[in-house]
Amino acid sequence: SQQGEEDPQALSIQEGENATMNCSYKTSINNLQWYRQNSGRGLVHLILIRSNEREKHSGRLRVTLDTSKKSSSLLITASRAADTASYFCATEGTSGSRLTFGEGTQLTVNP
Amino acid sequence: DVKVTQSSRYLVKRTGEKVFLECVQDMDHENMFWYRQDPGLGLRLIYFSYDVKMKEKGDIPEGYSVSREKKERFSLILESASTNQTSMYLCASSFEGTGANTIYFGEGSWLTVV
């Protein structure tokens, strides 16, 4: 069953703008992770935020987690054309190491 | 760097054929996974394995089986391929542990069943 749901499904912005993607989930989690997928390729891990953390940064990425609302957001600042990809959130439930993925947000950054 | 290698990038098979998708990881990970990815459905877990010779069903195991005879290798088997199994298949691996299991993916295998 799908745990995470990303919003929006698709996002198109200009280079230099910020991109924000949201993820909602249904059940308690150990952590939430964001992955990136270039067209036709495998997924690459971007960042992990644990359930006791509220915000995390990695380079131009900023992730927030609100466990009371069961939601997370991924912010990419100063976007580049190379950021064009699909972005997935994945949740690890409290019962084990299995990740459940959402359907992804397709981000297009126009040069 | 962790490397997860899927042996076939593109395959075309006929309905009813037995299909093997092979996956090898080089980081001594305990966990290995097979997902399929379809437009509008995201990634769905087919099977996973926590140890050699061990397997557990994921969300959509029907029509598939798996084999893990060695720690580094996890095979997905389509016993009798059908057209609705046309999809992209992703293998992944991770360490066993609590609280922070990052998954490493292969590049994917595009399977077309005609």
Side-chain angles (χ1 to χ4, degrees), chain B residues 5 12 14 16 21 25 28 33 37 42 47 56 65 71 74 77-78 84 91 96 99 113:
Chain B
T5 303
V12 180
R14 295 198 178 278
L21 298 179
Q25 50 94 4
D28 203 35
F33 308 85
Q37 183 177 21
Y47 266 98
E56 292 214 15
S65 62
K71 191 175 185 180
F74 192 36
I77 304 154
L78 287 66
N84 63 12
C91 176
E96 176 63 18
V113 183

Side-chain angles (χ1 to χ4, degrees), chain A residues 31 35 37 40-41 97-98, chain B residues 9 37 59 99 101 103 107:
Chain A
N31 64 72
Y35 287 78
Q37 184 181 35
R41 309 298 293 274
S97 58
R98 174 177 158 174
Chain B
R9 193 89 169 90
Q37 183 177 21
D59 298 319
N101 293 312
I103 287 186
E107 287 294 287

Side-chain angles (χ1 to χ4, degrees), chain A residues 2 101, chain B residues 21 33-39 41-47 60-62 64 76 78 82-91 105 109 111:
Chain A
Q2 296 297 328
F101 287 81
Chain B
L21 298 179
F33 308 85
W34 275 105
Y35 291 87
R36 68 177 278 179
Q37 183 177 21
D38 300 286
L41 297 175
L43 275 76
R44 293 180 292 169
L45 182 64
I46 305 171
Y47 266 98
I60 52 163
E62 296 78 19
Y64 303 94
L76 180 69
L78 287 66
S82 63
T83 55
N84 63 12
Q85 292 178 310
T86 291
S87 186
M88 179 169 181
Y89 291 87
L90 289 161
C91 176
F105 283 86
S109 297
L111 172 66

